[in-house]
Amino acid sequence: MNKQSKWERIYSVVKQIPYGQVATYGQIATLAGYYRQARQVGYALHAVPSDDIPWHRVINAQGKISLNHEMGGAVQRKMQESEGVVFSQAAIISLQIYQWRPKIDPLHNLE
DNA sequence: GGTCTGACTAGGT
DNA sequence: AACCTAGCCAGAC
């Protein structure tokens, strides 16, 4: 398993997050078969190769955006708000409401 | 190869 | 709530 295929798997799962919903780094790692490798998901998204990957739908386990302002946090928030995602006053997204809950194993849909 | 860093997280104090 | 630690591993020296 090289780094290339690993990142491809992560990207494939991220691509399956529906419009208007979100997923956490740890959730993506688990769904892709890499339990406990949330950091690697963040690392992979940092180097996201194309614009057909909805990287903005991935947030941390506290429901917050992990990017600071310089890295594009404001951009990410805008993109999510344009999909109808609402932020609390403390800039938190309710996972209860918006978190993606796949009915089928995303690995079943690998592209 | 060794060391450090980091779009993270779960569990403990 | 705040803080700490271990777990994870690709890239950049």
Side-chain angles (χ1 to χ4, degrees), chain A residues 58-89:
Chain A
V58 183
I59 58 179
N60 67 32
Q62 302 157 55
K64 296 207 273 196
I65 287 175
S66 286
L67 280 65
N68 60 36
H69 196 66
E70 294 75 44
M71 290 173 106
V75 175
Q76 182 174 10
R77 174 165 178 158
K78 264 189 110 168
M79 293 178 79
Q80 297 201 112
E81 288 179 326
S82 78
E83 295 189 357
V85 175
V86 176
F87 289 71
S88 76
Q89 199 166 26

PDB file of all heavy atoms in Angstrom, chain A residues 58-89:
ATOM      1  N   VAL A  58     -15.250  18.703   5.119  1.00  0.00           N
ATOM      2  CA  VAL A  58     -14.563  17.961   6.180  1.00  0.00           C
ATOM      3  C   VAL A  58     -14.138  18.923   7.286  1.00  0.00           C
ATOM      4  O   VAL A  58     -13.450  19.918   7.032  1.00  0.00           O
ATOM      5  CB  VAL A  58     -13.320  17.239   5.621  1.00  0.00           C
ATOM      6  CG1 VAL A  58     -12.660  16.411   6.719  1.00  0.00           C
ATOM      7  CG2 VAL A  58     -13.704  16.357   4.441  1.00  0.00           C
ATOM      8  N   ILE A  59     -14.579  18.629   8.510  1.00  0.00           N
ATOM      9  CA  ILE A  59     -14.279  19.477   9.664  1.00  0.00           C
ATOM     10  C   ILE A  59     -13.775  18.596  10.806  1.00  0.00           C
ATOM     11  O   ILE A  59     -13.740  17.373  10.677  1.00  0.00           O
ATOM     12  CB  ILE A  59     -15.538  20.241  10.123  1.00  0.00           C
ATOM     13  CG1 ILE A  59     -16.646  19.258  10.480  1.00  0.00           C
ATOM     14  CG2 ILE A  59     -15.983  21.202   9.034  1.00  0.00           C
ATOM     15  CD1 ILE A  59     -17.912  19.933  10.974  1.00  0.00           C
ATOM     16  N   ASN A  60     -13.386  19.207  11.925  1.00  0.00           N
ATOM     17  CA  ASN A  60     -12.870  18.383  13.023  1.00  0.00           C
ATOM     18  C   ASN A  60     -13.996  17.851  13.909  1.00  0.00           C
ATOM     19  O   ASN A  60     -15.152  18.218  13.732  1.00  0.00           O
ATOM     20  CB  ASN A  60     -11.788  19.128  13.810  1.00  0.00           C
ATOM     21  CG  ASN A  60     -12.332  20.322  14.563  1.00  0.00           C
ATOM     22  OD1 ASN A  60     -13.479  20.327  15.015  1.00  0.00           O
ATOM     23  ND2 ASN A  60     -11.502  21.340  14.711  1.00  0.00           N
ATOM     24  N   ALA A  61     -13.615  17.010  14.854  1.00  0.00           N
ATOM     25  CA  ALA A  61     -14.589  16.284  15.668  1.00  0.00           C
ATOM     26  C   ALA A  61     -15.399  17.182  16.583  1.00  0.00           C
ATOM     27  O   ALA A  61     -16.409  16.767  17.129  1.00  0.00           O
ATOM     28  CB  ALA A  61     -13.874  15.215  16.496  1.00  0.00           C
ATOM     29  N   GLN A  62     -14.956  18.428  16.739  1.00  0.00           N
ATOM     30  CA  GLN A  62     -15.707  19.358  17.576  1.00  0.00           C
ATOM     31  C   GLN A  62     -16.703  20.171  16.767  1.00  0.00           C
ATOM     32  O   GLN A  62     -17.350  21.071  17.280  1.00  0.00           O
ATOM     33  CB  GLN A  62     -14.748  20.302  18.285  1.00  0.00           C
ATOM     34  CG  GLN A  62     -13.738  19.563  19.129  1.00  0.00           C
ATOM     35  CD  GLN A  62     -12.506  20.405  19.350  1.00  0.00           C
ATOM     36  OE1 GLN A  62     -12.591  21.523  19.835  1.00  0.00           O
ATOM     37  NE2 GLN A  62     -11.359  19.898  18.956  1.00  0.00           N
ATOM     38  N   GLY A  63     -16.776  19.886  15.474  1.00  0.00           N
ATOM     39  CA  GLY A  63     -17.707  20.625  14.622  1.00  0.00           C
ATOM     40  C   GLY A  63     -17.167  21.958  14.165  1.00  0.00           C
ATOM     41  O   GLY A  63     -17.909  22.823  13.703  1.00  0.00           O
ATOM     42  N   LYS A  64     -15.866  22.143  14.298  1.00  0.00           N
ATOM     43  CA  LYS A  64     -15.269  23.416  13.899  1.00  0.00           C
ATOM     44  C   LYS A  64     -14.347  23.258  12.687  1.00  0.00           C
ATOM     45  O   LYS A  64     -13.853  22.173  12.392  1.00  0.00           O
ATOM     46  CB  LYS A  64     -14.469  24.019  15.060  1.00  0.00           C
ATOM     47  CG  LYS A  64     -15.349  24.360  16.245  1.00  0.00           C
ATOM     48  CD  LYS A  64     -14.771  25.492  17.078  1.00  0.00           C
ATOM     49  CE  LYS A  64     -13.814  25.010  18.122  1.00  0.00           C
ATOM     50  NZ  LYS A  64     -13.523  25.976  19.169  1.00  0.00           N
ATOM     51  N   ILE A  65     -14.102  24.374  12.034  1.00  0.00           N
ATOM     52  CA  ILE A  65     -13.181  24.385  10.902  1.00  0.00           C
ATOM     53  C   ILE A  65     -11.755  24.412  11.449  1.00  0.00           C
ATOM     54  O   ILE A  65     -11.446  25.190  12.340  1.00  0.00           O
ATOM     55  CB  ILE A  65     -13.454  25.628  10.024  1.00  0.00           C
ATOM     56  CG1 ILE A  65     -14.766  25.434   9.253  1.00  0.00           C
ATOM     57  CG2 ILE A  65     -12.293  25.886   9.085  1.00  0.00           C
ATOM     58  CD1 ILE A  65     -15.202  26.649   8.456  1.00  0.00           C
ATOM     59  N   SER A  66     -10.915  23.539  10.914  1.00  0.00           N
ATOM     60  CA  SER A  66      -9.552  23.440  11.431  1.00  0.00           C
ATOM     61  C   SER A  66      -8.575  24.429  10.803  1.00  0.00           C
ATOM     62  O   SER A  66      -7.479  24.613  11.313  1.00  0.00           O
ATOM     63  CB  SER A  66      -9.006  22.020  11.223  1.00  0.00           C
ATOM     64  OG  SER A  66      -9.598  21.131  12.143  1.00  0.00           O
ATOM     65  N   LEU A  67      -8.962  25.029   9.712  1.00  0.00           N
ATOM     66  CA  LEU A  67      -8.060  25.982   9.058  1.00  0.00           C
ATOM     67  C   LEU A  67      -8.118  27.335   9.746  1.00  0.00           C
ATOM     68  O   LEU A  67      -9.173  27.765  10.177  1.00  0.00           O
ATOM     69  CB  LEU A  67      -8.481  26.178   7.602  1.00  0.00           C
ATOM     70  CG  LEU A  67      -8.082  25.134   6.585  1.00  0.00           C
ATOM     71  CD1 LEU A  67      -8.753  23.838   6.890  1.00  0.00           C
ATOM     72  CD2 LEU A  67      -8.439  25.624   5.212  1.00  0.00           C
ATOM     73  N   ASN A  68      -6.981  27.992   9.804  1.00  0.00           N
ATOM     74  CA  ASN A  68      -7.012  29.355  10.310  1.00  0.00           C
ATOM     75  C   ASN A  68      -7.372  30.273   9.136  1.00  0.00           C
ATOM     76  O   ASN A  68      -7.530  29.836   8.012  1.00  0.00           O
ATOM     77  CB  ASN A  68      -5.669  29.734  10.948  1.00  0.00           C
ATOM     78  CG  ASN A  68      -4.532  29.638   9.961  1.00  0.00           C
ATOM     79  OD1 ASN A  68      -4.708  29.948   8.787  1.00  0.00           O
ATOM     80  ND2 ASN A  68      -3.388  29.213  10.427  1.00  0.00           N
ATOM     81  N   HIS A  69      -7.465  31.544   9.433  1.00  0.00           N
ATOM     82  CA  HIS A  69      -7.923  32.482   8.415  1.00  0.00           C
ATOM     83  C   HIS A  69      -7.020  32.481   7.178  1.00  0.00           C
ATOM     84  O   HIS A  69      -7.497  32.460   6.048  1.00  0.00           O
ATOM     85  CB  HIS A  69      -7.977  33.887   9.025  1.00  0.00           C
ATOM     86  CG  HIS A  69      -8.784  34.841   8.221  1.00  0.00           C
ATOM     87  ND1 HIS A  69     -10.146  34.703   8.048  1.00  0.00           N
ATOM     88  CD2 HIS A  69      -8.428  35.930   7.512  1.00  0.00           C
ATOM     89  CE1 HIS A  69     -10.584  35.680   7.271  1.00  0.00           C
ATOM     90  NE2 HIS A  69      -9.566  36.446   6.935  1.00  0.00           N
ATOM     91  N   GLU A  70      -5.714  32.477   7.422  1.00  0.00           N
ATOM     92  CA  GLU A  70      -4.765  32.536   6.297  1.00  0.00           C
ATOM     93  C   GLU A  70      -4.868  31.308   5.403  1.00  0.00           C
ATOM     94  O   GLU A  70      -4.710  31.380   4.193  1.00  0.00           O
ATOM     95  CB  GLU A  70      -3.313  32.648   6.804  1.00  0.00           C
ATOM     96  CG  GLU A  70      -3.002  33.945   7.522  1.00  0.00           C
ATOM     97  CD  GLU A  70      -3.592  33.972   8.925  1.00  0.00           C
ATOM     98  OE1 GLU A  70      -3.486  32.956   9.629  1.00  0.00           O
ATOM     99  OE2 GLU A  70      -4.175  35.008   9.303  1.00  0.00           O
ATOM    100  N   MET A  71      -5.128  30.160   6.024  1.00  0.00           N
ATOM    101  CA  MET A  71      -5.170  28.926   5.244  1.00  0.00           C
ATOM    102  C   MET A  71      -6.460  28.778   4.457  1.00  0.00           C
ATOM    103  O   MET A  71      -6.606  27.843   3.680  1.00  0.00           O
ATOM    104  CB  MET A  71      -5.022  27.736   6.172  1.00  0.00           C
ATOM    105  CG  MET A  71      -3.649  27.605   6.749  1.00  0.00           C
ATOM    106  SD  MET A  71      -3.588  26.310   7.966  1.00  0.00           S
ATOM    107  CE  MET A  71      -2.725  25.042   7.069  1.00  0.00           C
ATOM    108  N   GLY A  72      -7.411  29.650   4.686  1.00  0.00           N
ATOM    109  CA  GLY A  72      -8.640  29.542   3.916  1.00  0.00           C
ATOM    110  C   GLY A  72      -9.861  29.168   4.731  1.00  0.00           C
ATOM    111  O   GLY A  72     -10.873  28.740   4.188  1.00  0.00           O
ATOM    112  N   GLY A  73      -9.771  29.334   6.030  1.00  0.00           N
ATOM    113  CA  GLY A  73     -10.904  29.008   6.893  1.00  0.00           C
ATOM    114  C   GLY A  73     -12.146  29.793   6.527  1.00  0.00           C
ATOM    115  O   GLY A  73     -13.250  29.259   6.529  1.00  0.00           O
ATOM    116  N   ALA A  74     -11.971  31.059   6.200  1.00  0.00           N
ATOM    117  CA  ALA A  74     -13.116  31.901   5.837  1.00  0.00           C
ATOM    118  C   ALA A  74     -13.748  31.395   4.548  1.00  0.00           C
ATOM    119  O   ALA A  74     -14.971  31.363   4.410  1.00  0.00           O
ATOM    120  CB  ALA A  74     -12.660  33.348   5.683  1.00  0.00           C
ATOM    121  N   VAL A  75     -12.901  30.955   3.616  1.00  0.00           N
ATOM    122  CA  VAL A  75     -13.393  30.429   2.341  1.00  0.00           C
ATOM    123  C   VAL A  75     -14.218  29.169   2.590  1.00  0.00           C
ATOM    124  O   VAL A  75     -15.299  28.997   2.044  1.00  0.00           O
ATOM    125  CB  VAL A  75     -12.207  30.094   1.407  1.00  0.00           C
ATOM    126  CG1 VAL A  75     -12.709  29.443   0.132  1.00  0.00           C
ATOM    127  CG2 VAL A  75     -11.419  31.355   1.096  1.00  0.00           C
ATOM    128  N   GLN A  76     -13.662  28.296   3.457  1.00  0.00           N
ATOM    129  CA  GLN A  76     -14.366  27.043   3.746  1.00  0.00           C
ATOM    130  C   GLN A  76     -15.739  27.325   4.349  1.00  0.00           C
ATOM    131  O   GLN A  76     -16.731  26.704   3.979  1.00  0.00           O
ATOM    132  CB  GLN A  76     -13.526  26.183   4.705  1.00  0.00           C
ATOM    133  CG  GLN A  76     -14.186  24.842   4.996  1.00  0.00           C
ATOM    134  CD  GLN A  76     -13.317  23.915   5.824  1.00  0.00           C
ATOM    135  OE1 GLN A  76     -12.276  24.313   6.344  1.00  0.00           O
ATOM    136  NE2 GLN A  76     -13.733  22.672   5.946  1.00  0.00           N
ATOM    137  N   ARG A  77     -15.776  28.281   5.279  1.00  0.00           N
ATOM    138  CA  ARG A  77     -17.054  28.600   5.912  1.00  0.00           C
ATOM    139  C   ARG A  77     -18.058  29.121   4.891  1.00  0.00           C
ATOM    140  O   ARG A  77     -19.222  28.733   4.888  1.00  0.00           O
ATOM    141  CB  ARG A  77     -16.827  29.646   7.009  1.00  0.00           C
ATOM    142  CG  ARG A  77     -18.142  30.132   7.595  1.00  0.00           C
ATOM    143  CD  ARG A  77     -17.972  30.884   8.895  1.00  0.00           C
ATOM    144  NE  ARG A  77     -19.268  31.354   9.361  1.00  0.00           N
ATOM    145  CZ  ARG A  77     -19.536  31.668  10.629  1.00  0.00           C
ATOM    146  NH1 ARG A  77     -18.590  31.564  11.541  1.00  0.00           N
ATOM    147  NH2 ARG A  77     -20.729  32.089  10.967  1.00  0.00           N
ATOM    148  N   LYS A  78     -17.589  29.980   4.011  1.00  0.00           N
ATOM    149  CA  LYS A  78     -18.480  30.528   2.983  1.00  0.00           C
ATOM    150  C   LYS A  78     -19.048  29.444   2.086  1.00  0.00           C
ATOM    151  O   LYS A  78     -20.226  29.433   1.753  1.00  0.00           O
ATOM    152  CB  LYS A  78     -17.719  31.541   2.108  1.00  0.00           C
ATOM    153  CG  LYS A  78     -17.899  32.979   2.554  1.00  0.00           C
ATOM    154  CD  LYS A  78     -17.311  33.941   1.525  1.00  0.00           C
ATOM    155  CE  LYS A  78     -18.410  34.718   0.806  1.00  0.00           C
ATOM    156  NZ  LYS A  78     -17.847  35.837   0.018  1.00  0.00           N
ATOM    157  N   MET A  79     -18.163  28.504   1.706  1.00  0.00           N
ATOM    158  CA  MET A  79     -18.620  27.420   0.834  1.00  0.00           C
ATOM    159  C   MET A  79     -19.674  26.580   1.525  1.00  0.00           C
ATOM    160  O   MET A  79     -20.653  26.157   0.904  1.00  0.00           O
ATOM    161  CB  MET A  79     -17.421  26.543   0.435  1.00  0.00           C
ATOM    162  CG  MET A  79     -16.432  27.278  -0.457  1.00  0.00           C
ATOM    163  SD  MET A  79     -15.002  26.276  -0.892  1.00  0.00           S
ATOM    164  CE  MET A  79     -15.685  25.262  -2.201  1.00  0.00           C
ATOM    165  N   GLN A  80     -19.483  26.352   2.819  1.00  0.00           N
ATOM    166  CA  GLN A  80     -20.467  25.536   3.536  1.00  0.00           C
ATOM    167  C   GLN A  80     -21.773  26.297   3.705  1.00  0.00           C
ATOM    168  O   GLN A  80     -22.852  25.728   3.552  1.00  0.00           O
ATOM    169  CB  GLN A  80     -19.906  25.126   4.899  1.00  0.00           C
ATOM    170  CG  GLN A  80     -18.680  24.252   4.746  1.00  0.00           C
ATOM    171  CD  GLN A  80     -18.409  23.421   5.987  1.00  0.00           C
ATOM    172  OE1 GLN A  80     -18.530  22.214   5.960  1.00  0.00           O
ATOM    173  NE2 GLN A  80     -18.047  24.070   7.056  1.00  0.00           N
ATOM    174  N   GLU A  81     -21.678  27.575   4.005  1.00  0.00           N
ATOM    175  CA  GLU A  81     -22.901  28.354   4.177  1.00  0.00           C
ATOM    176  C   GLU A  81     -23.681  28.419   2.869  1.00  0.00           C
ATOM    177  O   GLU A  81     -24.912  28.445   2.876  1.00  0.00           O
ATOM    178  CB  GLU A  81     -22.549  29.760   4.688  1.00  0.00           C
ATOM    179  CG  GLU A  81     -22.084  29.719   6.150  1.00  0.00           C
ATOM    180  CD  GLU A  81     -21.707  31.078   6.705  1.00  0.00           C
ATOM    181  OE1 GLU A  81     -21.180  31.902   5.928  1.00  0.00           O
ATOM    182  OE2 GLU A  81     -21.954  31.315   7.904  1.00  0.00           O
ATOM    183  N   SER A  82     -22.954  28.422   1.752  1.00  0.00           N
ATOM    184  CA  SER A  82     -23.643  28.462   0.461  1.00  0.00           C
ATOM    185  C   SER A  82     -24.386  27.159   0.200  1.00  0.00           C
ATOM    186  O   SER A  82     -25.249  27.088  -0.664  1.00  0.00           O
ATOM    187  CB  SER A  82     -22.640  28.743  -0.667  1.00  0.00           C
ATOM    188  OG  SER A  82     -21.921  27.565  -0.982  1.00  0.00           O
ATOM    189  N   GLU A  83     -24.041  26.103   0.963  1.00  0.00           N
ATOM    190  CA  GLU A  83     -24.748  24.828   0.820  1.00  0.00           C
ATOM    191  C   GLU A  83     -25.847  24.695   1.860  1.00  0.00           C
ATOM    192  O   GLU A  83     -26.487  23.664   1.981  1.00  0.00           O
ATOM    193  CB  GLU A  83     -23.756  23.657   0.965  1.00  0.00           C
ATOM    194  CG  GLU A  83     -22.725  23.617  -0.148  1.00  0.00           C
ATOM    195  CD  GLU A  83     -21.891  22.335  -0.128  1.00  0.00           C
ATOM    196  OE1 GLU A  83     -22.083  21.522   0.792  1.00  0.00           O
ATOM    197  OE2 GLU A  83     -21.061  22.166  -1.036  1.00  0.00           O
ATOM    198  N   GLY A  84     -26.003  25.749   2.671  1.00  0.00           N
ATOM    199  CA  GLY A  84     -27.074  25.737   3.655  1.00  0.00           C
ATOM    200  C   GLY A  84     -26.666  25.324   5.049  1.00  0.00           C
ATOM    201  O   GLY A  84     -27.495  25.205   5.942  1.00  0.00           O
ATOM    202  N   VAL A  85     -25.367  25.110   5.269  1.00  0.00           N
ATOM    203  CA  VAL A  85     -24.897  24.719   6.598  1.00  0.00           C
ATOM    204  C   VAL A  85     -24.849  25.954   7.493  1.00  0.00           C
ATOM    205  O   VAL A  85     -24.337  26.999   7.095  1.00  0.00           O
ATOM    206  CB  VAL A  85     -23.491  24.086   6.513  1.00  0.00           C
ATOM    207  CG1 VAL A  85     -22.950  23.793   7.905  1.00  0.00           C
ATOM    208  CG2 VAL A  85     -23.544  22.814   5.678  1.00  0.00           C
ATOM    209  N   VAL A  86     -25.420  25.834   8.686  1.00  0.00           N
ATOM    210  CA  VAL A  86     -25.498  26.964   9.605  1.00  0.00           C
ATOM    211  C   VAL A  86     -24.475  26.839  10.733  1.00  0.00           C
ATOM    212  O   VAL A  86     -24.317  25.762  11.315  1.00  0.00           O
ATOM    213  CB  VAL A  86     -26.913  27.063  10.213  1.00  0.00           C
ATOM    214  CG1 VAL A  86     -26.978  28.170  11.248  1.00  0.00           C
ATOM    215  CG2 VAL A  86     -27.927  27.307   9.097  1.00  0.00           C
ATOM    216  N   PHE A  87     -23.777  27.925  11.016  1.00  0.00           N
ATOM    217  CA  PHE A  87     -22.787  27.957  12.092  1.00  0.00           C
ATOM    218  C   PHE A  87     -23.377  28.611  13.334  1.00  0.00           C
ATOM    219  O   PHE A  87     -24.123  29.574  13.234  1.00  0.00           O
ATOM    220  CB  PHE A  87     -21.568  28.763  11.648  1.00  0.00           C
ATOM    221  CG  PHE A  87     -20.724  28.081  10.611  1.00  0.00           C
ATOM    222  CD1 PHE A  87     -21.179  27.930   9.309  1.00  0.00           C
ATOM    223  CD2 PHE A  87     -19.475  27.586  10.944  1.00  0.00           C
ATOM    224  CE1 PHE A  87     -20.404  27.290   8.338  1.00  0.00           C
ATOM    225  CE2 PHE A  87     -18.678  26.951   9.984  1.00  0.00           C
ATOM    226  CZ  PHE A  87     -19.154  26.804   8.693  1.00  0.00           C
ATOM    227  N   SER A  88     -23.004  28.093  14.509  1.00  0.00           N
ATOM    228  CA  SER A  88     -23.463  28.725  15.750  1.00  0.00           C
ATOM    229  C   SER A  88     -22.651  29.982  15.964  1.00  0.00           C
ATOM    230  O   SER A  88     -21.703  30.275  15.232  1.00  0.00           O
ATOM    231  CB  SER A  88     -23.235  27.777  16.924  1.00  0.00           C
ATOM    232  OG  SER A  88     -21.859  27.772  17.264  1.00  0.00           O
ATOM    233  N   GLN A  89     -23.005  30.708  17.015  1.00  0.00           N
ATOM    234  CA  GLN A  89     -22.303  31.940  17.324  1.00  0.00           C
ATOM    235  C   GLN A  89     -20.828  31.659  17.614  1.00  0.00           C
ATOM    236  O   GLN A  89     -19.964  32.476  17.352  1.00  0.00           O
ATOM    237  CB  GLN A  89     -22.959  32.597  18.553  1.00  0.00           C
ATOM    238  CG  GLN A  89     -22.629  34.070  18.680  1.00  0.00           C
ATOM    239  CD  GLN A  89     -23.546  34.756  19.685  1.00  0.00           C
ATOM    240  OE1 GLN A  89     -24.071  34.118  20.587  1.00  0.00           O
ATOM    241  NE2 GLN A  89     -23.720  36.044  19.521  1.00  0.00           N
TER     242      GLN A  89
END
